[in-house]
């Protein structure tokens, strides 16, 4: 009728694998081996530049205060040296963990082909005769339909990075638009802790300096108290903002949750036991649930912590007990990586029973609805 043969659906060559399922607005390119990788633009690094700027900006004022107040007014080389060493050690700690978060891969999902050692050379016959993979990737949520690859437990697909990340915590624009995952989470917490301690230290040193300046108005010129005021204000603001994030992550570590698991209630649906035949899928999808069922899932999410095995063992999964001095050094200087391979996690022994109860109540509500 139209005279031209334009098909209703067109697929660019090679798009029927993973690329066809990607969202249209994302910027991707395809490497020669078909692996997707996200393209980063210059503006993705602007928040990182802001972080570096905020870490460096207090230092001219800080040096001014240390020289003009602690060294010249108080005439205390000891206080000068202690404050100088403490602030620069904390600054070094913040930069070392920031570099790890920016430069390190947060958690590559292992390729099962390469893991088994067969890979592309495997014949069809070998593939058919091969034993099934150790993991059951048919379980809900265990196969990434975008990467078209197995997705280990607690791994998530990041749409901004265009890949799956082991034990993904969140995508962080502040560290060069990268994910925080299994291999960078302790470094991220180390960064938050170092910045909070640095800000708290700078704030307390300068608040005591301001107190001295107000008590002894003739002791110093008018510029030094202005530097003190700037440092005290900045220190308090940063302590409140970054300190609250640090506190939140300590809570997440102690209860063994990632940020994604903590903020998304409906991920627990994929852990439900098989449901009896009803209008709900097994496991149910979020959009199938009624208002009451959603409320029930949200309430259950607050009490069912899938991986919580006691705060000591939860803490040890992130910051393992130090076995040797090298591990200690890594923990103190840059945070290091989480313990284990990031693919298997012990489950909370009470979770099964609570999930079974949730499944029962969901089905009961479904029957009442029908
Ligand atoms: Zn993926
Ligand atoms: Zn990401």
């Amino acid at each position: 009728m139209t005279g031209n043969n334009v098909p209703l659906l067109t697929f660019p060559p090679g798009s029927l694998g993973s690329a066809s399922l990607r969202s249209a607005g994302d910027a991707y390119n395809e490497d020669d081996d078909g692996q997707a990788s996200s393209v980063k633009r210059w503006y993705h690094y602007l928040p990182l530049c802001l972080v570096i700027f905020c870490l460096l900006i207090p230092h001219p004022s800080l040096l001014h205060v240390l020289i003009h107040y602690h060294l010249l007014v108080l005439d205390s080389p000891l206080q000068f040296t202690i404050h100088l060493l403490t602030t620069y050690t904390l600054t070094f700690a913040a930069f070392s963990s920031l570099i790890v978060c920016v430069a390190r891969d947060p958690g590559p999902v292992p390729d099962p082909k390469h893991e088994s050692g067969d890979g592309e050379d495997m014949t069809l016959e070998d593939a058919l005769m091969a034993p099934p993979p150790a993991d059951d990737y048919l379980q809900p949520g265990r196969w990434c339909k975008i990467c078209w690859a197995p997705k280990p437990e607690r791994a998530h697909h990041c749409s901004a990075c265009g890949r799956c990340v082991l034990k993904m915590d969140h995508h962080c624009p502040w560290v060069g638009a990268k994910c925080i995952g299994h291999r960078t989470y302790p470094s991220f917490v180390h960064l938050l802790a170092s910045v909070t301690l640095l800000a708290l230290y700078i704030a307390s040193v300068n608040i005591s300096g301001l107190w001295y300046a107000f008590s002894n108005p003739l002791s110093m010129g008018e510029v030094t108290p202005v530097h003190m005021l700037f440092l005290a204000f900045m220190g308090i603001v940063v302590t409140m903002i970054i300190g609250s994030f640090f506190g939140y992550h300590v809570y997440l570590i102690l209860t063994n949750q990632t940020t994604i698991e903590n903020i998304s209630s409906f991920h627990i649906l994929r852990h439900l036991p098989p449901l009896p035949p009803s209008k709900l899928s097994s496991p149910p999808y979020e959009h199938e649930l009624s208002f009451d069922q959603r409320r029930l899932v949200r309430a259950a999410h607050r009490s069912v912590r899938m991986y919580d095995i006691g705060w000591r063992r939860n803490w040890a999964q992130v910051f393992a007990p130090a076995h040797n001095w090298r591990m200690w050094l890594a923990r103190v200087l840059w945070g290091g990586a989480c313990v284990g391979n990031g693919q298997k996690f012990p489950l909370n022994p009470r979770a099964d029973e609570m999930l079974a109860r949730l499944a029962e109540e969901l089905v009961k509500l479904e029957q009442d609805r029908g």
Side-chain angles (χ1 to χ4, degrees), residues 287-323:
H287 64 83
E288 296 172 344
L289 302 179
S290 67
F291 178 76
D292 287 338
Q293 285 168 322
R294 281 161 175 266
R295 205 166 51 180
L296 186 70
V297 173
R298 282 201 193 93
H301 170 251
R302 283 193 285 274
S303 51
V304 182
R305 289 181 189 135
M306 293 300 303
Y307 302 98
D308 186 356
I309 48 170
W311 68 270
R312 278 173 206 273
R313 291 172 69 196
N314 295 341
W315 184 266
Q317 273 185 24
V318 180
F319 298 104
H323 300 302

Side-chain angles (χ1 to χ4, degrees), residues 144 147 157 163-164:
C144 179
C147 302
H157 184 89
R163 53 169 283 197
C164 282

Side-chain angles (χ1 to χ4, degrees), residues 345-366:
F345 299 91
L347 288 170
N348 177 353
R350 289 182 56 231
D352 276 349
E353 180 199 323
M354 292 164 99
L355 288 169
R357 215 160 51 207
L358 172 64
E360 244 172 56
E361 287 178 33
L362 280 177
V363 171
K364 212 188 300 171
L365 280 175
E366 188 61 28

Side-chain angles (χ1 to χ4, degrees), residues 158 160-161 171 178-179:
C158 173
C161 297
H171 179 83
K178 282 189 78 170
C179 276

Side-chain angles (χ1 to χ4, degrees), residues 109 144-151 156-158 162-165:
V109 173
C144 179
K145 291 175 187 160
I146 305 172
C147 302
W148 206 249
K151 190 162 71 170
H156 284 273
H157 184 89
C158 173
R163 53 169 283 197
C164 282
V165 175

